[in-house]
Amino acid sequence: MPLVDPATLIAAALAAVAASVYLYYFSSQANQPDTHPLQLAHQSSVASVRESPNESPVYRAKTTPAGTQLLSAPSPALTTITDALRAARTLRRPDAVQFIAAEKVVRVSSDEMAARASGLAAGLIRLSARASSVAILLPASPEFLVAYRACLDTGVVAIPISAATPTASIHAILRHSNASVLVTSAELAMRLADSIKTTSLNHLVLTGELDGSAPAEALRSATTVVSMSELEAGEAPEKDSVVAPADPAYVLYSAADDASALPRGVVITHANAMAAIAGLLSNLPASQVITAADVYLSTASMANAANLNFINIALIHACSICALETTDAETFATYSYSFRPTFVYLEPLISRDLVQL
């Protein structure tokens, strides 16, 4: 009887072990899609790089260990931000939004914010029934939140733009996005007078009033100028708009490396936004669930991608939102005593200065 080569025996044993591992582990895993929310601020989709048709092209985050439950929305019944906002309508508080005016804290109730957003939503529909996107160029304020919520209510794509964005970049974003409506302040609108005719804007919705200067007249001649308060005073829409998870919720623009290059816009769908919310909430301990009793302090521009994720969390939980756009640690610390936030988004500059203080 011929002897079997020891090397052949070892190879056969290794092959048997490998086959067992595949059959009992990898084979079963291939039939279970690895679905996880997108947690990247500037990314709305991921290229499919996996071979199995049963696997999702979305990567599992390092912060979510293998074996833990993966979510794509905070609740199976809530698949869009609009759904979540409507579900939170019954939650009311007197300080839904807090901000600083004349060095004093001013509070706006949830009822007033809802009425303003609903009125503006109807106003945007009357203003331009075919408007598919609305640019929002405002500092952190109740007006920004009203405009943002109005867009979500009507299914119109919001294009948030930081008030600190250079004028040339604002022009480039407006041209690239083809927004037909711009919600902004009279002061910020004056910066656009020279080149507004090169954009697709048909309507300017303003907080404040234009003066009688030449730039103001140029804005009036190029677009229809209407007061934001006038639109808010209108009646609410007769019925809720239908919004699907795959519908775009907002577009985030980032600055191009080259001033002459086209701006880069990333479309965030309702599903993407809800997945980001679920991902952030899944990292919280079970004892620290966010509720309507919480207070969120926003220190960055409300057009900031990361900050907007936390604003969405605060909105759908009916939290109080404190608007304080600053990079100064002492200002943050001073007003934190008045706002008493339970969670915050801090710019890196503030975090660094707090360590020094």
Side-chain angles (χ1 to χ4, degrees), residues 5 9 75 89 173 176 205 214 228 237 251 254 310 322:
D5 185 6
L9 284 175
S75 167
R89 284 174 177 173
I173 291 172
H176 185 265
V205 180
M228 184 174 179
V251 179
S254 57
F310 288 102
C322 306

PDB file of all heavy atoms in Angstrom, residues 5 9 75 89 173 176 205 214 228 237 251 254 310 322:
ATOM      1  N   ASP A   5       1.764  11.278   0.671  1.00  0.00           N
ATOM      2  CA  ASP A   5       2.719  12.355   0.960  1.00  0.00           C
ATOM      3  C   ASP A   5       2.196  13.227   2.114  1.00  0.00           C
ATOM      4  O   ASP A   5       1.047  13.688   2.078  1.00  0.00           O
ATOM      5  CB  ASP A   5       2.891  13.211  -0.296  1.00  0.00           C
ATOM      6  CG  ASP A   5       3.976  14.272  -0.091  1.00  0.00           C
ATOM      7  OD1 ASP A   5       4.642  14.260   0.952  1.00  0.00           O
ATOM      8  OD2 ASP A   5       4.108  15.134  -0.981  1.00  0.00           O
ATOM      9  N   LEU A   9      -1.428  15.519   2.760  1.00  0.00           N
ATOM     10  CA  LEU A   9      -2.349  15.413   3.889  1.00  0.00           C
ATOM     11  C   LEU A   9      -2.596  16.773   4.540  1.00  0.00           C
ATOM     12  O   LEU A   9      -3.725  17.131   4.884  1.00  0.00           O
ATOM     13  CB  LEU A   9      -1.780  14.426   4.926  1.00  0.00           C
ATOM     14  CG  LEU A   9      -1.878  12.938   4.589  1.00  0.00           C
ATOM     15  CD1 LEU A   9      -1.166  12.111   5.643  1.00  0.00           C
ATOM     16  CD2 LEU A   9      -3.337  12.515   4.493  1.00  0.00           C
ATOM     17  N   SER A  75     -36.952  54.891  13.125  1.00  0.00           N
ATOM     18  CA  SER A  75     -38.149  54.080  13.315  1.00  0.00           C
ATOM     19  C   SER A  75     -38.603  53.564  11.960  1.00  0.00           C
ATOM     20  O   SER A  75     -38.549  54.297  10.964  1.00  0.00           O
ATOM     21  CB  SER A  75     -39.264  54.913  13.966  1.00  0.00           C
ATOM     22  OG  SER A  75     -40.497  54.242  13.896  1.00  0.00           O
ATOM     23  N   ARG A  89     -45.553  66.972  15.552  1.00  0.00           N
ATOM     24  CA  ARG A  89     -46.418  68.156  15.643  1.00  0.00           C
ATOM     25  C   ARG A  89     -47.115  68.261  16.994  1.00  0.00           C
ATOM     26  O   ARG A  89     -47.418  69.349  17.473  1.00  0.00           O
ATOM     27  CB  ARG A  89     -47.468  68.120  14.535  1.00  0.00           C
ATOM     28  CG  ARG A  89     -46.932  68.479  13.160  1.00  0.00           C
ATOM     29  CD  ARG A  89     -48.013  68.280  12.102  1.00  0.00           C
ATOM     30  NE  ARG A  89     -47.568  68.679  10.777  1.00  0.00           N
ATOM     31  CZ  ARG A  89     -48.266  68.480   9.662  1.00  0.00           C
ATOM     32  NH1 ARG A  89     -49.450  67.869   9.729  1.00  0.00           N
ATOM     33  NH2 ARG A  89     -47.798  68.876   8.495  1.00  0.00           N
ATOM     34  N   ILE A 173     -22.802  79.034  -6.708  1.00  0.00           N
ATOM     35  CA  ILE A 173     -23.759  78.039  -6.211  1.00  0.00           C
ATOM     36  C   ILE A 173     -25.147  78.287  -6.791  1.00  0.00           C
ATOM     37  O   ILE A 173     -25.838  77.354  -7.223  1.00  0.00           O
ATOM     38  CB  ILE A 173     -23.808  78.070  -4.670  1.00  0.00           C
ATOM     39  CG1 ILE A 173     -22.490  77.549  -4.089  1.00  0.00           C
ATOM     40  CG2 ILE A 173     -24.984  77.238  -4.143  1.00  0.00           C
ATOM     41  CD1 ILE A 173     -22.365  77.730  -2.589  1.00  0.00           C
ATOM     42  N   HIS A 176     -25.114  77.220 -10.429  1.00  0.00           N
ATOM     43  CA  HIS A 176     -24.985  75.780 -10.593  1.00  0.00           C
ATOM     44  C   HIS A 176     -26.250  75.037 -10.174  1.00  0.00           C
ATOM     45  O   HIS A 176     -26.641  74.041 -10.787  1.00  0.00           O
ATOM     46  CB  HIS A 176     -23.789  75.277  -9.780  1.00  0.00           C
ATOM     47  CG  HIS A 176     -23.487  73.825  -9.975  1.00  0.00           C
ATOM     48  ND1 HIS A 176     -23.969  72.847  -9.126  1.00  0.00           N
ATOM     49  CD2 HIS A 176     -22.753  73.174 -10.922  1.00  0.00           C
ATOM     50  CE1 HIS A 176     -23.543  71.672  -9.540  1.00  0.00           C
ATOM     51  NE2 HIS A 176     -22.802  71.832 -10.616  1.00  0.00           N
ATOM     52  N   VAL A 205     -37.126  86.256  -1.512  1.00  0.00           N
ATOM     53  CA  VAL A 205     -37.941  86.315  -0.297  1.00  0.00           C
ATOM     54  C   VAL A 205     -37.046  86.892   0.794  1.00  0.00           C
ATOM     55  O   VAL A 205     -36.059  86.253   1.190  1.00  0.00           O
ATOM     56  CB  VAL A 205     -38.458  84.923   0.100  1.00  0.00           C
ATOM     57  CG1 VAL A 205     -39.297  85.009   1.368  1.00  0.00           C
ATOM     58  CG2 VAL A 205     -39.268  84.314  -1.041  1.00  0.00           C
ATOM     59  N   ALA A 214     -29.270 102.179  -5.786  1.00  0.00           N
ATOM     60  CA  ALA A 214     -29.166 101.584  -7.120  1.00  0.00           C
ATOM     61  C   ALA A 214     -29.071 100.061  -7.061  1.00  0.00           C
ATOM     62  O   ALA A 214     -29.731  99.367  -7.853  1.00  0.00           O
ATOM     63  CB  ALA A 214     -27.968 102.169  -7.860  1.00  0.00           C
ATOM     64  N   MET A 228     -40.745  88.008   3.496  1.00  0.00           N
ATOM     65  CA  MET A 228     -40.938  86.698   4.102  1.00  0.00           C
ATOM     66  C   MET A 228     -42.135  86.712   5.049  1.00  0.00           C
ATOM     67  O   MET A 228     -42.909  85.745   5.106  1.00  0.00           O
ATOM     68  CB  MET A 228     -39.671  86.272   4.848  1.00  0.00           C
ATOM     69  CG  MET A 228     -39.720  84.877   5.438  1.00  0.00           C
ATOM     70  SD  MET A 228     -38.119  84.391   6.138  1.00  0.00           S
ATOM     71  CE  MET A 228     -38.494  82.769   6.774  1.00  0.00           C
ATOM     72  N   PRO A 237     -51.164  75.107   3.705  1.00  0.00           N
ATOM     73  CA  PRO A 237     -51.576  74.247   2.588  1.00  0.00           C
ATOM     74  C   PRO A 237     -52.795  73.398   2.959  1.00  0.00           C
ATOM     75  O   PRO A 237     -52.964  72.998   4.112  1.00  0.00           O
ATOM     76  CB  PRO A 237     -50.332  73.366   2.349  1.00  0.00           C
ATOM     77  CG  PRO A 237     -49.197  74.129   2.942  1.00  0.00           C
ATOM     78  CD  PRO A 237     -49.770  74.880   4.098  1.00  0.00           C
ATOM     79  N   VAL A 251     -29.397  69.972  -0.661  1.00  0.00           N
ATOM     80  CA  VAL A 251     -28.128  69.858  -1.377  1.00  0.00           C
ATOM     81  C   VAL A 251     -27.071  70.613  -0.584  1.00  0.00           C
ATOM     82  O   VAL A 251     -27.264  71.778  -0.229  1.00  0.00           O
ATOM     83  CB  VAL A 251     -28.217  70.427  -2.808  1.00  0.00           C
ATOM     84  CG1 VAL A 251     -26.870  70.298  -3.512  1.00  0.00           C
ATOM     85  CG2 VAL A 251     -29.308  69.725  -3.603  1.00  0.00           C
ATOM     86  N   SER A 254     -19.885  72.434  -1.100  1.00  0.00           N
ATOM     87  CA  SER A 254     -18.596  72.675  -0.467  1.00  0.00           C
ATOM     88  C   SER A 254     -17.759  73.534  -1.396  1.00  0.00           C
ATOM     89  O   SER A 254     -17.952  73.540  -2.618  1.00  0.00           O
ATOM     90  CB  SER A 254     -17.873  71.360  -0.169  1.00  0.00           C
ATOM     91  OG  SER A 254     -17.706  70.605  -1.362  1.00  0.00           O
ATOM     92  N   PHE A 310     -27.471  67.348  13.267  1.00  0.00           N
ATOM     93  CA  PHE A 310     -27.951  67.509  14.642  1.00  0.00           C
ATOM     94  C   PHE A 310     -29.203  68.380  14.690  1.00  0.00           C
ATOM     95  O   PHE A 310     -30.078  68.170  15.536  1.00  0.00           O
ATOM     96  CB  PHE A 310     -26.850  68.105  15.515  1.00  0.00           C
ATOM     97  CG  PHE A 310     -25.741  67.138  15.818  1.00  0.00           C
ATOM     98  CD1 PHE A 310     -24.528  67.210  15.148  1.00  0.00           C
ATOM     99  CD2 PHE A 310     -25.913  66.139  16.767  1.00  0.00           C
ATOM    100  CE1 PHE A 310     -23.508  66.315  15.419  1.00  0.00           C
ATOM    101  CE2 PHE A 310     -24.905  65.241  17.047  1.00  0.00           C
ATOM    102  CZ  PHE A 310     -23.691  65.321  16.367  1.00  0.00           C
ATOM    103  N   CYS A 322     -31.128  76.234  20.029  1.00  0.00           N
ATOM    104  CA  CYS A 322     -30.522  77.528  20.345  1.00  0.00           C
ATOM    105  C   CYS A 322     -29.593  77.926  19.202  1.00  0.00           C
ATOM    106  O   CYS A 322     -28.658  77.202  18.867  1.00  0.00           O
ATOM    107  CB  CYS A 322     -29.733  77.459  21.642  1.00  0.00           C
ATOM    108  SG  CYS A 322     -30.676  76.833  23.042  1.00  0.00           S
TER     109      CYS A 322
END
